[in-house]
Amino acid sequence: MIDRLWNMASCASALLLASTLMMAPSFAQETPSKGGTLVVANDTEPRNLNPAIVASNGVFFIASKIVEPLAEMDYEDGLRPLLAESWKAADDGLSFTLNLRDGVSWSDGNPFTSADVAFSAMNVWKEKQNIGRQIFRNLVAVDTPDDKTAILRFSEPTPGQLIENAMPAVTAVLPAHLLKDENLDEAAYNAAPVGTGPFVFTEHKPGELYRLSRNENYWRDGQPYLDQIVYRVLPDPGAKAAALETGDIHVTAFSAVPLTDMARLDAIDGISVISEGYEGITYNITLDMNHRRKELANPLVRKAIAHAINQEFLVDVVFLGYATAATGPVPPTAKEFYAEDTVRYDFDTAKANELLDEAGYPRDADGKRFSLRLRPAPWFQQTRDTGDYVRQALAEVGIDVEIVTADPGGHIKAVYTDHDYDLAIGSPVWRNDPAISTTILYQGGLDAGIPFANQWGYDSEEMNGIIARGISTLDTAERTEVYKDFQRLAQDDLPIIFLTHFTFITVARDEVKNVSNNPRWATSGWADTWIAK
Amino acid sequence: MIAALREFRGAGGVLGGLVLLVIALIAAAASWIAPGDPLNMVARPLTQPFADPRYLLGTDQLGRNVLAGLVHGARVSMSVGAAAAAAAICVGILVGTMAGFSGRRIDNGLMRITEAFQTVPTFLLALALVSVLGASALNVVVAIGISSWPPTARLVRAEVLRLKGADYVDAARLAGRGSLAIAFMEVLPGALQPVVALIGVTVGEAILVESALAFLGLSDPNLVSWGGMIANGRALLRTAPYLVVLPGLAIAIAVLCVTLAGDGLANRLGIVGRR
């Protein structure tokens, strides 16, 4: 494991060296100044701010400044220790030992100990958390031989690589002393969390703002630099852009400003458009296909559809270049897992027509082969626009597409519970490891109603076998190979089509420093963020 | 002075009617003026208006032809608006006649229902209905129809109440005709004239509601609509204002002309003058 970390570290640092050298002068000259209030635009108002229960970016955006995980992603070292100083998986995969940081206390003054980790792991990550339920399924106990050591015990061998990759997103540690006698689903804690992080929760004015203030007891000396972070609730994209220009807000994240406004904002002195800082939370645009339709059950038809779609057009027009064409269920930014040698389906209308003829769906007198209903996910402009493009692209090869829209709740129910769709545009997230992000889109035999998962009716014994091997293979190199096989088979069978990977964009005013300096920046702690005076 | 004003109103009605006719012709000829699916991405995104003769009014952020959107949008807006208004007026006439001609109990019952509908703002009711029924052109027509019949119903009821004591109604009753026949064959035709004055307003409002629904993403996603074009262009208000301004103008002109033409028609029929 240490070898792997070293390898990753040296690879990453070699790559980064060039860029750091170029940036070095501007960074080296500046010493962080303390104080100031950072104002951030926020889209939504999550009711539950408990990141250990709701592992989602909307919650992390606020809560990751208050409640810290065991480790955070880092451009140079892969993983940077936070509450855990070091960790080691046992050779048999049945235990994972965490050495916790000394001298950390909760913002209410109580000491942070291994009991907090044991409580969080057993009672929250394993029991309550959307992602943790899968990873910690086989967790049976957490031993705490002393205050600074926690040993996770598993009933089945669990790969250390998986736990490591999961640490940034799923291991937010909650204070056992405040929560062990509470009903976690209803605890007042969820609206006003207490943590070990650089900031403490101060207030929430509904419809207006969340306010966080610096944690005077933070364990890292001298940090955080900021006095306060204010999240202003500003759902309107145009209003956000205007507020950035006037200086009313300093930062917008998650592409909150329309992509079409990016070039205009970038040209303004004092505002920067930054596409780094999201490598650990890449979103993907997929074309999901319901195999219960006999046409779509035919692999020739699915491949024809893939050939009919021009991914470059999507990247250039729908994403204005802020995306890359996908080659499978792992983005190329995940260098560790990415397989280059998957089957490609180049844009080729003639080939698509040939395949459809071969599949036995000739054009009728009107030039149409068959009709499909497409449900684009309603939550991003890009998912809706992609739907419009797919409709047009498939019309070219004689497939008539009717777009059906619904509100988010209705969309999720129609696609993932009722299977009332032929095609759908989805936006699954890549989270560091296939086992906790994209394999669920290929896993067979899932119950209807599990959202953002394989509800396509695809169930391949070979695929299920690969996915099972991936979560039980302990050797890191071997496990990585398994996931390369996973990508190859995913592209051979093509149950769904990965169209693009898109990273979000941060737009920030230049006086804010240390922006986008880790691969999950928007959802990290911001202890080192500061405002130049 | 009053004569001049009346003259102007007459002219406004004619002008409104003419422009409306032009819009209707454009809507009917949409497939000739801009062949192909107006939702297709055909050119370089964000071509400015008048920069490329093939795309006279420019293209939007996905490269869709704005002119094609406007003319096909005219078809959707006008037909959905007209169909929804027709539905609303039919329901209104039916309810109003029944309420006015029937006994007190039915009248009371129907009027309470009408008031219940009137307490909910038209747009909110249409919004709720489309969210439940799903976004398709037919559902939008149904939703607008259901939410905008009460004014017609109240007007028709008042007219029916006024007419039902008239001599010719008594004569018909003495001739042994059934109540329904009297209500719809004898009383209603006399009560219809004032309804004409409502047509313009109802159609105009239906077009506005349809645009607003489309703006919120609740119209048929397979059809272009002026409101939907504004919603798409809104994010680019600073960089490409024409994407919002052009469909906005189209809505304003269409609603204004429908209202003017409706007024003009009512004037011509002497309805306003009689009051």
Side-chain angles (χ1 to χ4, degrees):
Chain A
M1 186 207 77
I2 299 291
D3 278 2
R4 194 188 62 80
L5 269 182
W6 271 115
N7 272 334
M8 239 169 89
S10 51
C11 276
S13 47
L15 265 169
L16 273 152
L17 198 59
S19 54
T20 357
L21 279 178
M22 281 186 283
M23 290 189 235
S26 62
F27 274 140
Q29 305 299 322
E30 294 179 300
T31 27
S33 57
K34 282 195 146 194
T37 298
L38 182 75
V39 187
V40 184
N42 201 40
D43 286 359
T44 55
E45 282 182 87
R47 271 175 299 176
N48 187 340
L49 280 178
N50 188 333
I53 294 180
V54 190
S56 84
N57 291 332
V59 172
F60 288 150
F61 190 43
I62 299 170
S64 62
K65 285 74 186 163
I66 306 165
V67 182
E68 287 179 304
L70 294 169
E72 185 48 273
M73 282 183 84
D74 189 272
Y75 279 128
E76 278 158 61
D77 302 326
L79 272 181
R80 178 163 50 95
L82 283 180
L83 291 179
E85 278 185 316
S86 62
W87 47 85
K88 187 169 184 353
D91 293 337
D92 61 5
L94 293 173
S95 69
F96 191 89
T97 305
L98 294 156
N99 299 308
L100 305 176
R101 187 175 296 278
D102 222 350
V104 177
S105 58
W106 297 97
S107 60
D108 64 6
N110 283 289
F112 158 76
T113 68
S114 53
D116 296 312
V117 175
F119 166 77
S120 303
M122 291 303 293
N123 297 358
V124 191
W125 307 339
K126 175 187 160 80
E127 294 293 325
K128 303 270 175 204
Q129 190 193 81
N130 47 346
I131 311 171
R133 273 185 206 154
Q134 302 161 42
I135 302 166
F136 296 111
R137 194 176 35 199
N138 298 322
L139 180 72
V140 285
V142 179
D143 295 349
T144 52
D146 62 59
D147 273 1
K148 294 298 155 210
T149 311
I151 304 166
L152 311 180
R153 302 262 179 218
F154 296 94
S155 59
E156 299 285 327
T158 302
Q161 184 190 30
L162 173 61
I163 306 291
E164 282 177 9
N165 285 336
M167 279 203 285
V170 308
T171 63
V173 182
L174 301 184
H177 68 279
L178 291 178
L179 287 169
K180 60 176 181 281
D181 300 322
E182 295 270 337
N183 175 353
L184 280 165
D185 296 321
E186 289 162 16
Y189 178 94
N190 294 343
V194 172
T196 59
F199 296 90
V200 293
F201 181 87
T202 309
E203 65 171 331
H204 172 207
K205 288 187 187 165
E208 195 180 341
L209 56 79
Y210 294 88
R211 189 188 304 278
L212 314 184
S213 316
R214 64 178 274 132
N215 175 1
E216 302 295 344
N217 297 326
Y218 191 52
W219 51 267
R220 203 188 291 270
D221 280 340
Q223 288 185 355
Y225 298 128
L226 296 167
D227 284 340
Q228 288 196 341
I229 304 176
V230 170
Y231 294 85
R232 275 187 51 193
V233 179
L234 263 183
D236 184 69
K240 278 183 244 184
L244 266 174
E245 284 177 69
T246 58
D248 285 346
I249 57 174
H250 296 104
V251 174
T252 65
F254 296 114
S255 302
V257 173
L259 290 181
T260 39
D261 251 4
M262 295 290 180
R264 188 177 65 80
L265 288 170
D266 207 14
I268 296 173
D269 267 352
I271 294 180
S272 296
V273 171
I274 305 159
S275 57
E276 288 87 28
Y278 295 97
E279 292 77 0
I281 40 178
T282 305
Y283 276 62
N284 308 281
I285 297 290
T286 56
L287 177 62
D288 305 331
M289 299 180 275
N290 192 344
H291 297 213
R292 295 166 193 89
R293 271 290 297 247
K294 67 174 192 316
E295 293 91 343
L296 296 172
N298 185 340
L300 290 176
V301 172
R302 299 201 299 268
K303 288 171 186 177
I305 289 175
H307 279 297
I309 292 172
N310 185 351
Q311 290 174 304
E312 295 306 324
F313 180 91
L314 278 175
V315 168
D316 289 344
V317 174
V318 173
F319 293 92
L320 298 173
Y322 296 108
T324 50
T327 58
V330 173
T333 44
K335 296 187 183 64
E336 185 182 8
F337 291 108
Y338 179 67
E340 284 210 23
D341 54 350
T342 53
V343 179
R344 304 291 161 94
Y345 300 91
D346 298 328
F347 174 54
D348 185 344
T349 313
K351 182 86 185 280
N353 278 315
E354 239 170 69
L355 286 170
L356 287 167
D357 289 336
E358 191 189 330
Y361 297 105
R363 286 175 188 263
D364 66 11
D366 296 334
K368 286 181 184 169
R369 300 174 191 276
F370 50 88
S371 295
L372 297 173
R373 290 161 66 243
L374 167 65
R375 287 185 179 271
W379 36 83
F380 294 124
Q381 178 74 40
Q382 285 79 21
T383 47
R384 298 191 298 266
D385 288 350
T386 302
D388 285 346
Y389 170 69
V390 167
R391 171 178 182 269
Q392 178 180 352
L394 295 189
E396 289 288 311
V397 295
I399 301 175
D400 185 41
V401 173
E402 184 201 351
I403 295 196
V404 183
T405 52
D407 58 299
H411 175 83
I412 290 172
K413 181 165 185 294
V415 174
Y416 300 102
T417 303
D418 299 341
H419 304 143
D420 176 24
Y421 71 102
D422 300 325
L423 302 173
I425 304 293
S427 62
V429 191
W430 164 259
R431 299 185 199 90
N432 297 340
D433 194 293
I436 49 176
S437 43
T438 45
T439 55
I440 197 160
L441 301 169
Y442 295 86
Q443 170 83 53
L446 298 176
D447 291 333
I450 298 177
F452 312 118
N454 174 3
Q455 299 292 356
W456 339 123
Y458 169 72
D459 197 347
S460 145
E461 213 169 294
E462 193 185 356
M463 180 57 92
N464 296 344
I466 288 180
I467 293 173
R469 270 212 302 292
I471 51 174
S472 58
T473 304
L474 297 178
D475 182 74
T476 298
E478 208 178 305
R479 182 169 181 270
T480 307
E481 252 341 285
V482 171
Y483 283 117
K484 294 198 168 164
D485 287 343
F486 159 68
Q487 293 167 68
R488 289 181 201 113
L489 183 63
Q491 289 306 92
D492 285 344
D493 282 2
L494 207 70
I496 60 172
I497 303 169
F498 266 70
L499 298 173
T500 58
H501 310 292
F502 78 107
T503 69
F504 285 110
I505 312 291
T506 297
V507 185
R509 295 192 60 88
D510 291 346
E511 60 264 33
V512 186
K513 304 296 177 186
N514 282 341
V515 172
S516 295
N517 59 356
N518 75 59
R520 293 175 76 247
W521 182 73
T523 57
S524 66
W526 295 6
D528 61 349
T529 307
W530 57 283
I531 300 177
K533 298 229 163 65
Chain B
M1 172 71 195
I2 288 170
L5 201 66
R6 193 163 284 167
E7 195 68 12
F8 171 76
R9 290 181 71 164
V14 172
L15 186 69
L18 282 178
V19 177
L20 195 62
L21 192 69
V22 172
I23 296 178
L25 283 176
I26 288 176
S31 303
W32 285 290
I33 299 172
D37 189 335
L39 286 172
N40 276 358
M41 303 158 192
V42 289
R44 207 167 57 82
L46 294 180
T47 307
Q48 293 286 316
F50 310 114
D52 183 335
R54 285 172 302 166
Y55 311 106
L56 202 60
L57 296 180
T59 60
D60 72 359
Q61 68 268 42
L62 295 179
R64 292 177 291 217
N65 186 351
V66 173
L67 180 66
L70 286 178
V71 297
H72 285 266
R75 180 181 279 187
V76 174
S77 289
M78 301 309 276
S79 53
V80 169
I89 288 171
C90 288
V91 174
I93 287 175
L94 201 67
V95 173
T97 313
M98 304 257 282
F101 202 77
S102 311
R104 194 143 170 210
R105 273 184 142 158
I106 297 180
D107 185 15
N108 268 338
L110 285 174
M111 279 302 107
R112 293 302 88 76
I113 295 173
T114 311
E115 279 159 12
F117 270 88
Q118 278 190 304
T119 54
V120 186
T122 308
F123 179 65
L124 287 187
L125 185 58
L127 189 74
L129 285 169
V130 176
S131 317
V132 174
L133 297 174
S136 76
L138 181 67
N139 289 344
V140 170
V141 169
V142 170
I144 300 177
I146 290 181
S147 52
S148 41
W149 58 267
T152 316
R154 293 183 69 107
L155 182 69
V156 171
R157 172 177 170 272
E159 287 294 309
V160 169
L161 281 177
R162 188 173 65 82
L163 290 173
K164 82 173 173 185
D167 291 345
Y168 71 91
V169 178
D170 287 340
R173 195 168 283 138
L174 286 173
R177 302 191 60 184
S179 306
L180 271 181
I182 298 174
F184 286 96
M185 318 258 314
E186 302 294 332
V187 179
L188 183 59
L192 270 185
Q193 234 186 14
V195 174
V196 174
L198 268 184
I199 291 178
V201 182
T202 312
V203 174
E205 196 180 285
I207 293 176
L208 277 182
V209 172
E210 192 274 334
S211 301
L213 287 173
F215 179 79
L216 295 176
L218 283 170
S219 67
D220 195 324
N222 301 290
L223 299 172
V224 206
S225 149
W226 291 338
M229 290 174 77
I230 295 183
N232 267 331
R234 186 176 60 129
L236 287 99
L237 195 54
R238 299 282 292 276
T239 33
Y242 62 94
L243 292 180
V244 172
V245 171
L246 292 173
L249 275 177
I251 295 174
I253 293 173
V255 173
L256 187 67
C257 289
V258 166
T259 317
L260 280 176
D263 272 5
L265 195 62
N267 264 339
R268 188 56 62 89
L269 292 172
I271 295 162
V272 178
R274 199 184 62 196
R275 286 189 181 164

